[in-house]
Amino acid sequence: MASILGKLGLNDTDRVFQLTTGQAVIYEAIAEHMAMVNMEIDRVLSVFINTNTENYKERYKLPGGGKLQNMGFDPQSRPGVVKTTGQWDVAYPLASHQAGVGWSKVSMAYMSVADLERHVSTVLKQNINTVRFETLKAIFNNAQDTFSDPLHGSLSIEPLANGDSVVYPPVVGSDTEATDNHYLESGYAASAISDSNNPYVTIEAELVEHFGKSQGNDNVAVFINSAQKAKTEDLTDFVEVTDRFVVPGTQTSTLTGLPVAHPGRVIGRTNGCWVIEWDWIPASYMLGIHFDADPPLKRRVDPSDTGLSTGLQLVYQDMDFPFEAEYWDNRFGLGAGNRLNGVVMELGTGGTYSVPTGYN
């Protein structure tokens, strides 16, 4: 933010509220910076969040399966009418996530540009933490949730495919619609990852069975905690990302076409999966996403005719002598739309999947 205020000719030590620049211009610069941050959050999390939607509830649809009906050599009748499957109902919550900052008359008089930057940066970090947490909670929690919407009543917020009664389109190699569960337990501890206990094979297979397996493998990524990095690198099939400061030899395997616009860093590829180290993934858990399919989540926002903005916004300033307060708001809610594009695996031996601590 300091670089934006710097365009106004302000130094870090300038007393920001005593300048002839004017508060309106300063807050306009802050709003510009907020818009840039909102865009960057959207870009990084676009692998998890498909799009914004004003719908509180919708029917998510995928193409159905089955075969054409054999009518014989000389049909004298019409084929039977069939119902297209591959659809399920989903809904999305909507809530305000807010922060407030307040100052006294004296603290405002003494406040420097650097002080203001610290206050605003705190709000920005809280916003990033909130969006990331709500994103991961919507993915890692495998239980259906109920959101009490004051306008539309009780809404059922769905997770990824969790073994409920929803019937999904046939997987590759089948003509039959079936239920599915994308919350898995490995059956072995994280310390036991090996060529024979390979979670990447299972995760990749669970995703491509829905979206097809391409020649030369697919754009599947698995996000891991750094605690699983060493065991992953020990896998025979693992190929690490070349150090950008090192020119590989002619007999060295190197990776191409690395994915972009995702959180974390790509450390390599194994068993048809990009491996992305991101320490916001809980230790002993892995998250698989197919980058070439619709991301799993949708983000509900307010209808445009309400005039309410999306993303983190300065929404209110309250001047109540001798204090002044400012309030920031980000209204959104997340729920699964494409319940098939995401596989969560717990590396454990408890028998069933357990939600990571903090995401219940």
Side-chain angles (χ1 to χ4, degrees), residues 56-211:
Y56 65 92
K57 185 177 182 179
E58 64 184 10
R59 178 157 291 179
Y60 194 91
K61 298 182 179 181
L62 286 178
K67 302 185 184 73
L68 296 177
Q69 299 170 42
N70 188 334
M71 304 300 293
F73 176 75
D74 185 15
Q76 300 297 314
S77 62
R78 297 176 181 177
V81 176
V82 296
K83 181 180 179 180
T84 300
T85 57
Q87 60 188 29
W88 52 88
D89 293 332
V90 293
Y92 312 104
L94 180 60
S96 287
H97 306 268
Q98 298 183 346
V101 179
W103 303 287
S104 69
K105 177 182 178 181
V106 174
S107 62
M108 287 184 67
Y110 277 87
M111 185 175 295
S112 67
V113 170
D115 293 331
L116 179 61
E117 192 275 338
R118 286 190 302 106
H119 286 296
V120 175
S121 292
T122 298
V123 175
L124 285 172
K125 287 182 179 179
Q126 291 176 347
N127 179 61
I128 292 171
N129 291 341
T130 298
V131 175
R132 180 181 56 237
F133 171 78
E134 294 295 332
T135 299
L136 293 179
K137 181 179 179 181
I139 291 174
F140 279 97
N141 193 320
N142 66 334
Q144 183 190 78
D145 192 19
T146 299
F147 175 70
S148 181
D149 192 304
L151 298 178
H152 308 292
S154 296
L155 303 177
S156 296
I157 313 302
E158 304 294 349
L160 301 176
N162 67 342
D164 59 11
S165 60
V166 173
V167 175
Y168 299 99
V171 299
V172 176
S174 172
D175 293 320
T176 305
E177 293 81 7
T179 60
D180 206 349
N181 185 11
H182 281 198
Y183 291 94
L184 312 177
E185 191 195 59
S186 61
Y188 48 84
S191 59
I193 292 176
S194 64
D195 287 341
S196 57
N197 291 327
N198 193 330
Y200 296 96
V201 173
T202 304
I203 293 172
E204 192 262 355
E206 188 64 53
L207 285 170
V208 300
E209 72 175 4
H210 296 289
F211 305 110

Side-chain angles (χ1 to χ4, degrees), residues 196-252:
S196 57
N197 291 327
N198 193 330
Y200 296 96
V201 173
T202 304
I203 293 172
E204 192 262 355
E206 188 64 53
L207 285 170
V208 300
E209 72 175 4
H210 296 289
F211 305 110
K213 191 171 182 66
S214 305
Q215 185 69 34
N217 284 323
D218 295 275
N219 206 13
V220 170
V222 177
F223 293 83
I224 67 170
N225 186 281
S226 57
Q228 276 66 70
K229 179 182 177 183
K231 283 293 184 179
T232 296
E233 291 177 333
D234 287 341
L235 295 173
T236 301
D237 191 55
F238 182 81
V239 179
E240 67 177 343
V241 173
T242 306
D243 189 321
R244 65 190 180 97
F245 296 107
V246 176
V247 178
T250 56
Q251 303 301 314
T252 302

Side-chain angles (χ1 to χ4, degrees), residues 280-298:
W280 289 105
I281 298 297
S284 297
Y285 286 82
M286 293 180 165
L287 168 61
I289 298 287
H290 198 306
F291 281 171
D292 289 339
D294 285 345
L297 303 180
K298 281 193 176 184

Side-chain angles (χ1 to χ4, degrees), residues 93-97 147 300 302 329-333:
L94 180 60
S96 287
H97 306 268
F147 175 70
R300 181 181 168 191
D302 292 290
D329 187 20
N330 189 355
R331 288 178 56 79
F332 70 96

Side-chain angles (χ1 to χ4, degrees), residues 4-20:
I4 294 178
L5 295 181
K7 295 177 182 178
L8 303 178
L10 306 180
N11 298 313
D12 282 356
T13 55
D14 287 339
R15 302 206 188 280
V16 68
F17 291 116
Q18 303 300 320
L19 300 169
T20 57

